[in-house]
Amino acid sequence: MKDKTIDYILRATWQAVSRMYNEEASKFEGSMAIGFALLSIDKENGTPSNYISNRMGMEPTSLTRTLKTLEEKGLIIRKKNPKDGRGVLIYLTPLGKEKRLLSKETVIKFNDTIKNNISEEKLNHFLEVAEVINDLITEKKIF
């Protein structure tokens, strides 16, 4: 991969991670998007949908489809926000809490496996590089 561009390596790696998560989630009739959405919802207090979309890096309109799927699968319910009558809070159902736990265990297993196969020094360098790339993009220093 030495002759590949940085963006190619990032994209190919993320696609591999995404495919891996989707394969694992499909064993439980889910998807990576569903798992990440469940992890973005507070287990007890509910979560505003705009917080979920921000945390997942999705546009609110894209999140609507995911939330509809979660609702159809019986994983969430929507309730009016008592502090803001215009808003809605998303709550996990008991089944949603079960699936959230499965998602959490999956993410932890991925992280533990990476940490067990990459030295702390190399992992720290990776995290530093990722942070610099994110900062350059956020600060619009590339384009």
Side-chain angles (χ1 to χ4, degrees):
M1 282 189 137
K2 289 182 180 179
D3 60 334
K4 306 290 183 195
T5 61
I6 294 166
D7 71 310
Y8 173 87
I9 295 165
L10 290 170
R11 189 173 58 250
T13 302
W14 177 246
Q15 286 173 346
V17 170
S18 177
R19 198 169 34 255
M20 173 201 66
Y21 275 137
N22 277 315
E23 285 174 13
E24 187 63 22
S26 71
K27 297 175 187 174
F28 305 98
E29 300 175 18
S31 68
M32 182 183 74
I34 288 172
F36 282 156
L38 292 172
L39 290 169
S40 299
I41 300 170
D42 186 280
K43 292 184 296 197
E44 305 303 328
N45 302 315
T47 304
S49 59
N50 63 330
Y51 176 81
I52 299 167
S53 62
N54 288 342
R55 189 150 184 229
M56 293 180 65
M58 296 175 85
E59 293 296 322
T61 51
S62 300
L63 181 64
T64 302
R65 278 191 308 267
T66 301
L67 292 178
K68 185 177 180 190
T69 300
L70 291 171
E71 203 165 26
E72 289 169 354
K73 290 180 174 280
L75 302 173
I76 63 164
I77 56 171
R78 302 175 201 226
K79 294 182 184 177
K80 283 192 176 198
N81 187 338
K83 295 178 182 171
D84 178 2
R86 300 167 298 167
V88 174
L89 293 176
I90 310 298
Y91 289 87
L92 296 170
T93 64
L95 180 60
K97 289 179 182 180
E98 274 181 45
K99 299 291 186 178
R100 184 185 191 282
L101 182 60
L102 279 170
S103 297
K104 183 178 178 180
E105 290 169 352
T106 302
V107 170
I108 289 170
K109 182 175 182 180
F110 172 78
N111 278 277
D112 288 346
T113 301
I114 298 302
K115 288 177 182 178
N116 289 332
N117 285 278
I118 298 175
S119 72
E120 187 175 350
E121 180 183 11
K122 284 184 179 181
L123 192 53
N124 285 337
H125 287 304
F126 170 76
L127 297 173
E128 289 169 12
V129 169
E131 186 176 342
V132 169
I133 291 170
N134 278 315
D135 288 347
L136 289 170
I137 293 168
T138 300
E139 296 168 13
K140 301 194 181 298
K141 292 187 175 179
I142 297 175
F143 300 113

